[in-house]
Amino acid sequence: MGLFRLKGFPGTGNFRHGIHPPDNKSLSAESKVEVMQTPETVVLPLLQHIGAQCKPVVKPRQIVRYGEVVGVGRAFISASLHSPVAGKVKKIGMVTLPNSMHLPAISIKTEGDQINPQRLWDEMTAMDWPRDCISIYAPETIAKIIHNSGIVGLGGAAFPTHVKVAPNDSRMIDTLLINGCECEPYLSCDDRLMREAPKAIVTGALLAGRAVAAKEIVICVENNKPEAILKLQQATEKTLIKIAVLKTKYPQGSEKQLVKSVLGLEIPLGGLPSDAGVAISNVATIASVARGVIKEGPLTHRVISVSGRGIKHPKNLFVPIGISMGEVIEYCGGITEDAARIISGGPMMGFAFSDMTTPVTKGTSGITVLTHDEISDEQETSCVRCGRCVDACPMNLVPTRLALAARYNNPSIAIRYHINACFECGCCTYVCPAKIKLVQLIRTGKKLVAAMAKS
Amino acid sequence: MAPSPHILNTANTTQRMMKDVLIGLLPIICMSVWLFRAYAVKQLIICTLACLISEFLFVRMRGRSASLGDCSAVVTGIILALSLPGSAPWFVGVIASMIAMGIGKIIFGGLGMNIFNPAMVGRAFVMIAFAQLMGASAYENMTGLADAVSGATPLSALKFSGSAIKISELFWGVTNGSLGETSAFACLVGGLFIVLRKTASWQIPLSIILTVTGIAGITDIAGSHSGEFLFHHLFGGALMFGAFFIATDPVTSPLTAKGKWYFGFGTGVLIMVIRLFSGYPEGVMFAILLMNAVTPLINRWTTPLPMGEA
Ligand code: SF4
Ligand code: SF4
């Protein structure tokens, strides 16, 4: 453990605190990405990103082509929505996403000739992605294409990517970090993408780096993914892109921890990576940037992991956005008898859901199905003030204080202990010997604080 | 829907921590039973039972459901028994236990809410209430295993008559004293276990031991005692027992690593101040209680700065 060294970067490859949960990646990491066929219907919620909701620009019974815009995001912080199939708009109904957002969504019934999804995936994994001709694209053009392609962060947060890369004179970007840490247990979709489509990632990285005028581009990978590192090293030969091999530790892939780990910089409290001169984008996002710019293809498909001991055949899949979770789970053989909880995303920060018609969205990185043995419903006991939550918190907060403030309805204490710096990574709850649901209490505390700010 | 995170570290529960402490106490229990025979057995049984029963009754009185399952009452009972002289009559153990659980813990709201270490609250009470039963004479008129263990405790002897005993005897613990404090060796073995299991912090025992070594070492050199003084203070009295098993009680010690260093340092200084300048030969108990009282303050001083806050 102590032997870990990061060479050639200002950071140490490590950050303070954090945890080492069993990563369980071997369940799915060796399964090559399989391409799912186009489903009969897709459901496209109008808000799949952080920012303003899209406006639908199609009507029921309207025929749409593959890749046609069906919802536009006019606001700057927004992203357009493209149809992943050819077909007929059924209706604009309501859906509830696993994160409990209740939203209008366009359903499209597939009809007529479809694009072959295998072709899309083969394009992605091809080894002939250009590296030299990218200088023909002006930085503004790249940002514009990213905007028009509806690309958002595919790592889970789903922040519109063009906002990060839009040229901005008041905010210089020195370093572009490409995040391939994938520190959530079970998930292996980014690992697979780095192993199977390294060239697309390299091209996308060069494009995004050009858009933000970054002096340095670094792809960050945890040291538990040796094959991905090897493939990226081969793919980045004769480019200026560097690869930072980081310590495997949760939450290494979180923005602030990553910046600290690689560059040794701290993003100011309440600030953005750009305040430290850094732009961060996930590997899958970067690969879709390459596709958007070079192949002029919008974001319509993505790679997801379907894993956990509660799933019969864990897999990594290339799926159209809008396919139902139920169909994806069926494709993987369904859930096992002792499956207890189905999660959108990974077990640390994902959301549990039960409605199988829930659609896969741009930000869905995977589905994790846990068994009764894996989830723990042990009874909560009193806080023994052991301080383990303090020693685990990557933001260096005092989780037990925050939880207590929430429990006793005291927003001012919560503010004094910087409740809003908490990004709900779950480390504190994971380590607590008293099994106190700290994150849940902290969420309540944040609501209290917001309510107090309003009044 | 169940909130995230969906996985927990199941190997780590409050109950496991308490069981670890019990396992860590085993070498000390064995040593005390071997040295003091029936005296030790009697005191251990009395205190453990009395603590369990008081916790049960007091919790019931406050209309809460019983929390005996977390084993913390057993831990308090055993630590209390080990900190009493074997000769103390049965009612001393019972009253100490009732005070420990009632005043030391339940009044504050149960496990996790108390400010003072319950066992030390109980012990402090009987020490003041039954001064002659708990004082130096309590150790002297007891018939133990060997002649070595009758007579004054090593620190009393050193303090009041200036006589030192062999350091090896002090270390292995063939001396007189409270049931659990005689053998520095047993305390080290059990203490290292709970520290390695991360059940107890390592910062607290280390900083206490370093501080005591520092102060006793300087006094030793200043008075040219050639090591005797230092080792008496290090291996004698309840130092090792207190440093590993009492001061590390998570509830009554600071939250952060930095706070734990301060806590240990403060405890070490207070122990030596009491031992050197007061009428008591022993200062571990009062030192820990005093530091318990300032723990909320230490927590406030050592609140960590969030990442990104310059
Ligand atoms: S880890 Fe749990 S028991 Fe320990 S201090 Fe934090 S909240 Fe309390
Ligand atoms: S959930 Fe919040 S308080 Fe808990 S460890 Fe993560 S950042 Fe810290």
Side-chain angles (χ1 to χ4, degrees), chain A residues 256-257 266-267 269 341 343 347-348 350 354 378 382-386 388 395-396 418 430-431 433-435 443, chain B residues 1-2 4-9 12-14 111-114 198 250-251 255 260 303-309:
Chain A
K256 298 198 172 185
Q257 279 60 42
E266 284 191 14
I267 301 171
L269 203 62
R341 194 177 291 171
I343 299 156
M348 291 305 295
S354 56
E378 258 172 278
S382 317
C383 169
V384 287
R385 288 189 243 156
C386 62
R388 289 189 190 192
M395 291 307 296
N396 215 17
H418 304 280
Y430 180 82
V431 298
K435 308 294 157 210
R443 280 193 199 109
Chain B
M1 276 293 147
S4 66
H6 303 280
I7 48 172
L8 302 178
N9 186 358
N12 167 28
T13 63
T14 312
L111 179 66
M113 306 301 287
N114 46 306
K198 299 210 168 93
V251 176
L255 278 169
K260 286 169 184 162
T303 302
L305 276 184
M307 186 176 177
E309 178 91 314

Side-chain angles (χ1 to χ4, degrees), chain A residues 28-225:
Chain A
S28 59
E30 296 315 312
S31 321
K32 281 191 97 173
V33 174
E34 291 177 34
V35 177
M36 268 190 84
Q37 288 311 308
T38 307
E40 273 173 27
T41 41
V42 288
V43 176
L44 304 169
L46 288 171
L47 182 62
Q48 305 194 12
H49 51 262
I50 291 176
Q53 196 168 313
C54 291
K55 287 234 159 34
V57 291
V58 289
K59 295 205 178 57
R61 284 187 301 284
Q62 184 175 330
I63 302 289
V64 292
R65 282 168 288 111
Y66 165 80
E68 190 175 327
V69 176
V70 293
V72 291
R74 290 232 167 73
F76 180 57
I77 304 189
S78 183
S80 296
L81 203 54
H82 302 75
S83 176
V85 298
K88 193 195 253 179
V89 176
K90 277 207 294 198
K91 59 167 189 203
I92 301 181
M94 296 298 284
V95 290
T96 306
L97 295 182
N99 60 11
S100 348
M101 265 204 287
H102 195 56
L103 290 170
I106 304 171
S107 350
I108 300 170
K109 186 166 176 5
T110 49
E111 270 181 23
D113 285 347
Q114 296 301 326
I115 190 168
N116 183 0
Q118 185 67 47
R119 207 201 79 210
L120 292 180
W121 178 242
D122 290 346
E123 243 172 51
M124 201 62 131
T125 54
M127 294 313 266
D128 60 353
W129 283 91
R131 295 204 307 211
D132 311 322
C133 68
I134 61 150
S135 51
I136 60 169
Y137 299 97
E140 295 77 23
T141 321
I142 299 173
K144 197 145 170 249
I145 299 175
I146 292 175
H147 192 179
N148 292 340
S149 309
I151 296 171
V152 303
L154 299 184
F159 189 77
T161 304
H162 70 270
V163 180
K164 290 190 196 169
V165 300
N168 182 337
D169 297 333
S170 65
R171 186 199 59 174
M172 301 296 284
I173 297 295
D174 294 316
T175 315
L176 171 66
L177 296 184
I178 315 275
N179 189 349
C181 290
E182 198 167 51
C183 58
E184 268 274 1
Y186 295 92
L187 301 185
S188 57
C189 51
D190 288 349
D191 184 16
R192 285 316 311 182
L193 193 77
M194 290 187 279
R195 281 151 83 165
E196 297 184 42
K199 293 273 186 185
I201 293 171
V202 169
T203 301
L206 293 169
L207 286 165
R210 184 166 165 76
V212 295
K215 295 188 194 76
E216 208 170 24
I217 303 173
V218 185
I219 306 182
C220 317
V221 194
E222 282 184 342
N223 62 0
N224 62 350
K225 304 179 187 66

Side-chain angles (χ1 to χ4, degrees), chain A residues 392-395 397 399 402 422-428 439 442:
Chain A
C393 179
M395 291 307 296
L397 305 173
L402 299 175
C422 163
F423 67 107
E424 301 175 19
C425 66
C427 292
C428 50
V439 180
I442 292 171

Side-chain angles (χ1 to χ4, degrees), chain B residues 237-274:
Chain B
L239 185 83
M240 291 291 166
F241 185 57
F244 281 103
F245 288 93
I246 308 175
T248 53
D249 170 16
V251 176
T252 54
S253 60
L255 278 169
T256 61
K258 207 175 170 195
K260 286 169 184 162
W261 280 108
Y262 290 158
F263 181 87
F265 175 72
T267 310
V269 169
L270 284 174
I271 289 174
M272 289 315 291
V273 166
I274 298 172

Side-chain angles (χ1 to χ4, degrees), chain A residues 258-299:
Chain A
L258 190 63
V259 170
K260 176 84 192 176
S261 213
V262 180
L263 303 171
L265 297 172
E266 284 191 14
I267 301 171
L269 203 62
L272 294 169
S274 58
D275 296 331
V278 184
I280 305 174
S281 201
N282 164 276
V283 281
T285 317
I286 284 298
S288 39
V289 165
R291 198 176 109 76
V293 176
I294 308 284
K295 314 274 175 187
E296 289 165 25
L299 176 63

Side-chain angles (χ1 to χ4, degrees), chain B residues 64-97:
Chain B
R64 303 268 177 95
S65 61
S67 52
L68 298 177
D70 62 23
C71 297
S72 64
V74 178
V75 171
T76 304
I78 292 182
I79 289 183
L80 179 60
L82 292 177
S83 68
L84 294 176
S87 66
W90 65 272
F91 57 86
V92 169
V94 171
I95 292 173
S97 302

